Amino acid sequence: MIINVEVADPYSVGNIAAILSEIASRLGTLADGGETSLIDLKSLPLSSGEYEHLRFTLGRGEVTASLDAIGMSEIVETQFSGVWWITHYNDQGDIVADLIEIATIPNILLSQPEDMRTGLALLHAIISRPASSHD
Amino acid sequence: MNPQDLLYWVRGTGLQIAAAIFVLGMSYRMLHLVLLGRKKSLAIPRGSEWAYGLRIMWQRSFVLPELSARGKFTVVAGYIFHLGFLITLFFLSQHIDMLRAILKFGWPALPRSVIDIAAILSIAAMIALLVHRIIDPVKRLLSDFQDYLTWALTFLPLLTGFMLLRSIGFGYTTLLTLHILSVELLLIAIPFTKLAHMFSTFVSRWYNGASAGFRGVKA
Amino acid sequence: MADHDSLEHRLAEQGISRRAFLKFCAAMASLMALPPGSAVAIAAALAKAKRPSVIWLSFQECTGCTESLTRSHSPTLESLIFDMISLDYHHTLQAASGFAAEKSRDDAMQAYYGKYLLLVDGSIPTKDGGVYSTIAGRSNLDLLHEAAKGAAAIVAVGTCAAFGGIPMAKPNPTGAVAVSDLIKDKPIINISGCPPIPAVITGVLAHYLTFGELPALDELGRPKAFYGETIHDHCYRRPFYDQGKFAKTFDDEGARNGWCLYELGCKGPTTHNACATTKWNGGAGFPIEAGHGCLGCSEPNFWDAGSFYAPLPAPSADVTTIAEVAAVTGAAAAVALSALDRAKKKRAQQAHEKLTVKDL
Amino acid sequence: MNTLQRGINAMIEQIDAPIATFFTSCVHCGLCADSCLFYTETQDPKFTPIYKLEPLRRIWQQEYTFWGKLMSQLGLSKPVTDAELAAWEPLVYDSCTLCGRCSLACPVGNDIVYMVRKMREGMVASGHAPEGLKGATQRAIGLGSPMGVNLNTLMAHIHNTEKETGLSVPLDKEGADYMMVLSSAEIAEYSEIVSAVTRIFHQAGVSWTMASDGFEGTNSGIQIGSSDLAAELLSRVVRAAERLKVKYVISPECGHAYTALRWEGPNLIGRPYHFEVIHIIELLDQLRSEGRLRTEGLDETRMTFHDPCQMVRRGGVVEQPRNLLHMVAPNFVEMPDAGIQNWCCGGGGGVSANERAEPLRIKVFSRKKAQLDAIGVDTIVTSCSNCRTMLLDGLEHNSMNLNVVGLTELIAEHLAPASK
């Protein structure tokens, strides 16, 4: 027996339009020199179809970055400049945070002063180390 | 009692109490009315009591004589209120769910947009009728406390129901509880107030029509 | 010394960068259902967070809550958090057994008296002195009272601990009650659900860990961040509800089209939980997404609130019988009282003094 | 029993299933006001029909409802007082002609006029009836006619008719088919009717008679609301008719006489008649349809017909007068609201006999005036002698120069000569 499962347009439920207009309004604010902002996709009621639809609509733009820190993170500028899709994964590859950031550059990509100082200390240690120690 | 228990109570025990009072009260009141009896006329009839009585029961809902502006207002607003109320009562899918659970049969619901319009119009008509009752000299003279009480008891289910559909104000659980509770208060009040006209109207019309039919009066 | 106990320090020791820490905080914010911008505040708070002792007592329960927690799909994060707590007693998870197990609990209770977090899953039978559930010969009732005394706060995990749950369902043969029915002098946080969403358990722990206090609670003691709104409020099928499009059976056109399950008994509108957004099984979905209505498991007495498949507006008790009895009673009363009225009318007719022209 | 107790007792007696149902159904919508001449022409809310029944409603509530009885037992209800009944007397008598228009208007179907009629039973028993109506009733009982006419007056008309027409007017003829009854207004003012029916019946070959002891059809007892007195008046006609063994009694051109004879009569005397009652207009239409009533010539005057309330709304006689008018009046036009919804002349239900009500009655004639102004006629035809008097009176007060004629007379004027 074949059960014909037909899914009517999963996008017709109207949640996508609301998210897109929210993104548009925030992007407008940013373009006018306003503040950056974040949308937590996990807090929104999205069916899997809608999620895919959102991903498809926003698309991929010019920049893609990845971060490897307690699991991978994927940072993608969507086809709309200033709208970034940030997905944090854990070691097992599960999504632990899924965010839309409206910013000139996502905060997570910026190098952190603490890390810079750690790096700097390490760099100094390398410089001050005698050449002989290189085995 | 937590909100869930309260909701459960109004859906169960509360409804049983309200239904019992409503059914007992109306069964008592309607039968009591008719059992008071009337003298059978000894005159020779010119027409049928039953046929014309039954006709007026139905017809009086539609045929009304010429009216003044204030009369027209009452009739139009009254129609809108009654129709809106009945449409929301009998054709909102949630209500059909409830009735199906009791009656073991159901019928198709009307689209939500129609229900919305009916509810809004009904609420607006009720408010207009209340204002009219206060400002119109005839209605003001006729009105007593009961007229305002029954207004409020009829208005509350409409209001809470509308708030529930549109998610206005409180949370769903609270609104659903308030809505069912207000319906229960209404049910309890019906047998003791002029709201009993929901049934007795048809008996009134029959008596009126029967009297006219007996004399061969054709309106 | 204290600094060395902080999460930030421990992370640094593990070679985790500040950027990774920020990522962790973003994940925490998402987990705790806090605004996404609060990651920075979390980072600041976590820098000072301490490692609390946790004692987990399991009473009249099915271990589903623990199962739920261990099936959690963000293990790295959980492990980070569990790194940050000292789970000193959990009789299902701990390695120790027998007297050693009980001893570790007693030790922790003494060592961290007044500071430890008490987690409870399962309801507590109270009938007949609480004999219906015992651990190592001691009743749950006894254990709870003892452990509660020194607890900083109690987390009731699962609907059984929070509201009595299934053991308390009618006819409740063991006299089961919720933690909050017995303990009145400690802050209690209810994480209801059957089972609760794992991320909610960890989210609440993370909140306690981060801010050192319990999150804001609703009137039933549940964290507002997760239970503040209903399933219905965030259900992706909500637009269908608003349009009045309902599945009538589990295999009709409406069901296939993903319409609202209200008429099939979905309790989403009256159920406060985060299933619709946090979802289950690593975000795979939640019951409604699988085509079944919400059972309302995170609400009190969900087991006794009528059929899972009866729509919300349906009466939760039999109205027909009572109405039939009422109709007959009313009719009988009408017959009896109208006889009195007719007698009154007859008396009036007998008392009638014939009017004559002299009376005018 | 004092008069108040007697009045209240009468109301308790009268309250029946219809009345209980009507009061149960009333939603205080006020629509009946619009149907009442006295409200529409004065805009005074106290003339709202259902309001006129307030004391009766209270008695129903206190005596016949569960809560009302409970409240009375607990002493929480306000009993109906004599002063209250006195205050309501003008509402129940002066501003109600028992026209029954409200009973057609009520959306919940209350037969309001039925209740007013019943309430008057209590009012008159409690001594609260208008003096004018009391006087009329006393004259009717004592002298045989509310207007004081007697057999001698009638005999004079009979003589004149016999002289004028050369026909004999049968009196006390046993075994006739029909017994003609007249209204006191006809005997007093519109005596042409005697000649008219004599000629018509002669042409049509109707076997008829009048009764020397039962010629007066007007029933003041019905108007004042006393079944006891109404029965006494009615029984005179019944006795005469049954003595003469007639098959039919002809109700005169008088609305309340028709109601009394046709509908209330058997109930007043407590048994069915041994004869049937037919209105003169019904009989004439019947003769017309049988070809026994033939007219000649037409009256070109623009004329209209005033439907008496008791004939149409309370009697069901609507088509018959029109059939007759079409025989002789080519320029007949209907008034607005003609037929079942026609407006009362303002003097029915005893109002015409109630001098106190006269200013109000004249005032509310404005409705009839508006109806007449709308069609611009020269002659009003009607089939109720009381309406006829009230119309003449109203026209005079409004300086309107219109003729008012009785339908039977109009037909008689155009009667074709006997063909054989």
Side-chain angles (χ1 to χ4, degrees), chain D residues 178-182 201 206 208 248-252 261 276-281 283:
Chain D
Y178 292 89
M179 183 178 105
M180 182 76 204
V181 171
L182 297 173
F201 289 164
V206 171
W208 72 294
Y248 298 93
V249 166
I250 305 168
S251 166
L261 283 165
E276 286 182 34
V277 173
I278 186 167
H279 193 274
I280 177 72
I281 298 302
L283 177 58

Side-chain angles (χ1 to χ4, degrees), chain D residues 14-213:
Chain D
Q14 292 298 325
I15 290 169
D16 56 4
I19 292 181
T21 310
F22 298 152
F23 282 131
T24 301
S25 299
C26 180
V27 292
H28 294 170
C29 72
L31 283 180
C32 49
D34 277 2
S35 68
C36 181
L37 193 61
F38 293 90
Y39 172 76
T40 61
E41 303 313 300
T42 63
Q43 297 291 309
D44 188 337
K46 71 170 186 266
F47 293 139
T48 304
I50 196 75
Y51 185 69
K52 298 170 187 170
L53 296 161
E54 191 54 21
L56 182 66
R57 188 193 68 79
R58 295 243 313 278
I59 288 169
W60 159 74
Q61 195 174 42
Q62 290 166 12
E63 300 290 340
Y64 286 105
T65 70
F66 181 78
W67 286 116
K69 279 187 271 192
L70 192 68
M71 298 288 268
S72 299
Q73 290 294 313
L74 298 172
L76 292 172
S77 57
K78 201 167 57 129
V80 172
T81 62
D82 201 53
E84 202 173 345
L85 292 182
W88 249 263
E89 187 198 304
L91 296 181
V92 179
Y93 286 101
D94 300 17
S95 69
C96 179
T97 62
L98 302 177
C99 87
R101 226 169 165 273
C102 47
S103 295
L104 287 188
C106 177
V108 298
N110 291 346
D111 194 347
I112 300 171
V113 68
Y114 174 87
M115 296 195 277
V116 176
R117 165 70 184 82
K118 298 278 193 178
M119 183 170 167
R120 284 187 181 183
E121 295 276 349
M123 294 299 284
V124 66
S126 70
H128 294 293
E131 288 309 316
L133 204 43
K134 281 183 186 171
T137 311
Q138 278 159 349
R139 284 190 296 279
I141 300 278
L143 306 173
S145 159
M147 298 178 94
V149 293
N150 55 25
L151 185 61
N152 290 339
T153 327
L154 178 64
M155 288 312 292
H157 296 320
I158 289 176
H159 274 297
N160 287 343
T161 297
E162 287 181 336
K163 207 160 30 174
E164 171 201 324
T165 62
L167 300 169
S168 77
V169 178
L171 188 68
D172 294 327
K173 191 172 101 187
E174 208 177 300
D177 288 342
Y178 292 89
M179 183 178 105
M180 182 76 204
V181 171
L182 297 173
S183 79
S184 45
E186 285 173 329
I187 302 166
E189 291 167 38
Y190 312 119
S191 57
E192 314 87 85
I193 191 76
V194 180
S195 145
V197 294
T198 304
R199 288 186 294 126
I200 292 171
F201 289 164
H202 174 73
Q203 188 212 49
V206 171
S207 149
W208 72 294
T209 184
M210 284 203 280
S212 56
D213 54 350

Side-chain angles (χ1 to χ4, degrees), chain C residues 127-148:
Chain C
K127 205 171 163 191
D128 301 326
V131 297
Y132 297 106
S133 179
T134 59
I135 296 165
R138 295 181 64 194
S139 73
N140 293 171
L141 195 59
D142 191 21
L143 285 167
L144 176 66
H145 278 299
E146 183 194 49

Side-chain angles (χ1 to χ4, degrees), chain C residues 103-141:
Chain C
K103 187 177 183 310
S104 66
R105 185 189 65 225
D106 293 341
D107 290 349
M109 274 164 44
Q110 271 185 10
Y112 302 104
Y113 190 86
K115 290 178 212 147
Y116 60 84
L117 205 53
L118 177 63
L119 268 65
V120 177
D121 68 332
S123 61
I124 303 97
T126 57
K127 205 171 163 191
D128 301 326
V131 297
Y132 297 106
S133 179
T134 59
I135 296 165
R138 295 181 64 194
S139 73
N140 293 171
L141 195 59

Side-chain angles (χ1 to χ4, degrees), chain B residues 46 211-212 215-217, chain D residues 96-101 103 111 113-114 116-117 120 219 222-223 251-264 279 282 305-318 321 339-345 347-351 382-387:
Chain B
R46 193 194 270 136
S211 161
R215 298 161 193 239
V217 178
Chain D
C96 179
T97 62
L98 302 177
C99 87
R101 226 169 165 273
S103 295
D111 194 347
V113 68
Y114 174 87
V116 176
R117 165 70 184 82
R120 284 187 181 183
N219 197 319
I222 293 285
Q223 295 173 334
S251 166
E253 289 196 1
C254 173
H256 290 276
Y258 182 58
T259 290
L261 283 165
R262 178 71 177 89
W263 307 116
E264 289 214 25
H279 193 274
E282 282 183 282
F305 184 71
H306 165 81
D307 288 291
C309 308
Q310 302 300 317
M311 291 277 295
V312 286
R313 268 192 294 287
R314 307 303 286 178
V317 181
V318 181
I340 214 92
Q341 288 288 354
N342 193 29
W343 293 90
C344 181
C345 63
V351 173
T382 188
S383 56
C384 168
S385 52
N386 189 51
C387 292

Side-chain angles (χ1 to χ4, degrees), chain D residues 271-316:
Chain D
R271 64 168 174 85
Y273 297 147
H274 298 150
F275 53 86
E276 286 182 34
V277 173
I278 186 167
H279 193 274
I280 177 72
I281 298 302
E282 282 183 282
L283 177 58
L284 295 188
D285 187 51
Q286 192 185 310
L287 296 174
R288 176 199 61 80
S289 68
E290 289 165 2
R292 293 163 71 188
L293 176 66
R294 296 179 313 279
T295 56
E296 63 171 23
L298 298 171
D299 188 334
E300 301 289 339
T301 319
R302 194 170 158 82
M303 57 178 77
T304 190
F305 184 71
H306 165 81
D307 288 291
C309 308
Q310 302 300 317
M311 291 277 295
V312 286
R313 268 192 294 287
R314 307 303 286 178

